[in-house]
Amino acid sequence: MKSGKYSCSTRSETLEWITAIIDFLKPFSFLINAHVVNFFKDKQWEGVDQEWMSCLRNEKPENILLIPSGGVQDHWPASLKEFVHTLRSLSFPREQAELQAILADVDMAPLSTVLSQGMNLKKKHEVQVLSAVVSSVINSVGASTVVDVGSGQGYLAQVLSFQYKHSVVAIDSSSHHGKITDARASRIRKHFAAQMRKSGSGNKCPDVPVTITCRVLSTEMLKTLTNVSLEKNDLDSNASVLNEGPRRSQLSPDANRSGSLVLAGLHACGDLSVTMLRTFMECEEVKAVVSIGCCYNLLSEKSSENSCSKCGFPMSAGLKSVGFSLGKNARDLACQSAERWSSLGEDAGLQNFELHSFRAAFQMVLSKHYPEVLATSPSIGRQGKAFRRQQQRKALETPATVATTRKDTDDKKPMRQTSSKSDICSSFEKFCESAFSSLNLEHPEDLDLRATWNESVEFTELIGPYWSIRAALGPVLETLILLDRLMFLQEQGASIKVVMLPIFDPTISPRNVAIIAKRL
């Protein structure tokens, strides 16, 4: 895969790409490490090129929302356009790859109604594509078993078992998920068995996946689990090596489990994706790995206070030698999706910007009245989603008014609202009351929320441009994390073949890049 002049087919090319990203990011560390809740308190807009902010404060919301995707306008400052274009060129491409042309024998079969039951559109798309990819990898390395790491409710494991006829072990930390997986697999097996009896085919009904309930905390633990999954004996006899032990062994007694493994992970959270890659390198029985990571905010990171050699970032010797660190805010930012930003309509975009301004103004309230709470980096929960739902209900109740106001906003500034100033201030007051409740704080008697909002309102039209410029850094930061994992595998030598591919439609599943590695 290539993005602009960059390529990652060899270790040296990957290192060149990583170096280019780091060199570009260094001057923007103030933006990367910022927390937008402090937008008003720290006057964050003052750190950004004033020519950029002056231009964007008058820009249409739909154009601002395209910045993370690389969209620019002709009348923008040349330096801003160069910033956006460079970010785009440094980001790994996300357009869904033509998998049939890249991977051998990929059979993208649609999921049956029975197998897809309970899946939303996103999950169905992910499972349909990934199961085909994993099955192709299993066949290419001749593995006898696939281990679904972080299996959730078992959707991927069950498709690999029932549709592709592979022996599957599903590992998840939730015993509740394990029970759901077992119950769902049992229902599916009954359906397949009934179909086979009706057709008289005489074929053996596929075995349901083995489920193991265990929180994978380390490479050593996952290695132990993979060794357990290769044992011919009943898995319950190995329960002592697990937190709770496998829920049960569901393979037939004559199943051949002495072969090799493939590790697969659909959005294995935080360090779990990293643990999979390390286990692949350290466990000879694992012949291949297919990893799609997510939740970079949960990655452990090496720092001066944390000298752990098995941290989630960085992994590669190349990046470790550079001494570059991200930090939590940067890892949070890496989770941003350019595709999701570009798909927002004007109304939804304005609502998002408004809610960011509410949260940032509430931070000023905390700073003045509850500084001790502010020091703990308080989380007020999903106030934004609740307010969005309220606004949507209100819009449905007054369609004529909404249609009129939407028409009137065509030429307005990003933060001019369709509601009156009084309505916006009232919404802010309600937001604060809800936030106080979430934090179990008393409403201060001398608190004048209107005064706080009036102090902030002059700069609310800058929060959309600022947040969009910052979000544009997200795909590059995610690219850096993924390239670090790729280079870790490339550093292992010629015995490992590794490729990084965007396998999902990014508008459906933003975390769509798979790292696929095989032993030669």
Side-chain angles (χ1 to χ4, degrees), residues 338-358:
E339 288 75 22
R340 290 278 170 88
W341 275 74
S342 62
S343 67
L344 285 176
E346 179 181 353
D347 289 344
L350 284 171
Q351 286 178 12
N352 275 341
F353 296 157
E354 181 182 272
L355 291 169
H356 277 301
S357 68
F358 285 176

Side-chain angles (χ1 to χ4, degrees), residues 140-285:
S140 69
V141 299
S144 58
T145 303
V146 57
V147 179
D148 181 7
V149 183
S151 57
Q153 297 187 28
Y155 294 136
L156 176 64
Q158 289 154 11
V159 172
L160 287 169
S161 178
F162 290 106
Q163 181 160 305
Y164 290 97
K165 310 298 190 294
H166 295 298
S167 171
V168 184
V169 176
I171 303 174
D172 195 81
S173 63
S174 169
S175 59
H176 175 66
H177 283 167
K179 292 174 182 176
I180 292 175
T181 298
D182 284 347
R184 190 174 188 274
S186 179
R187 290 195 302 271
I188 294 172
R189 191 178 192 281
K190 287 179 181 178
H191 170 81
F192 275 80
Q195 279 194 327
M196 289 177 179
R197 285 196 300 271
K198 183 181 290 187
S199 65
S201 64
N203 292 332
K204 180 178 177 294
C205 185
D207 291 300
V208 299
V210 172
T211 57
I212 296 178
T213 298
C214 179
R215 184 172 178 80
V216 179
L217 299 174
S218 66
T219 305
E220 289 70 26
M221 180 176 283
L222 186 53
K223 285 171 66 177
T224 301
L225 291 172
T226 57
N227 288 333
V228 168
S229 69
L230 284 169
E231 292 292 333
K232 292 182 180 179
N233 298 329
D234 190 296
L235 288 180
D236 285 329
S237 65
N238 298 281
S240 61
V241 303
L242 307 175
N243 287 353
E244 299 182 26
R247 294 179 52 75
R248 64 171 183 242
S249 174
Q250 295 168 307
L251 292 179
S252 57
D254 60 346
N256 177 18
R257 311 208 50 219
S258 61
S260 53
L261 295 170
V262 169
L263 296 182
L266 173 55
H267 295 151
C269 254
D271 284 351
L272 188 53
S273 292
V274 172
T275 300
M276 289 174 59
L277 300 181
R278 288 201 172 105
T279 303
F280 165 66
M281 293 311 310
E282 296 174 13
C283 188
E284 286 293 329
E285 292 83 2

Side-chain angles (χ1 to χ4, degrees), residues 9 76 89 103 146 256 287 356 359 408 443 459 481 507:
S9 56
W76 289 3
S89 72
L103 300 175
V146 57
N256 177 18
K287 302 303 180 184
H356 277 301
R359 179 62 182 88
D408 290 342
H443 189 301
F459 305 104
I481 292 171
T507 61

Side-chain angles (χ1 to χ4, degrees), residues 103-114:
L103 300 175
D105 304 322
V106 172
D107 179 19
M108 203 70 67
L111 302 184
S112 68
T113 303
V114 173

Side-chain angles (χ1 to χ4, degrees), residues 64 71 190 244 266 286 372 375 419 457 489 498:
I64 290 176
K190 287 179 181 178
E244 299 182 26
L266 173 55
V286 180
E372 71 284 357
S419 305
V457 71
L489 295 170
V498 58

Side-chain angles (χ1 to χ4, degrees), residues 92-106:
F92 191 77
R94 299 311 171 90
E95 296 79 12
Q96 188 176 14
E98 296 182 12
L99 297 175
Q100 286 84 351
I102 300 172
L103 300 175
D105 304 322
V106 172

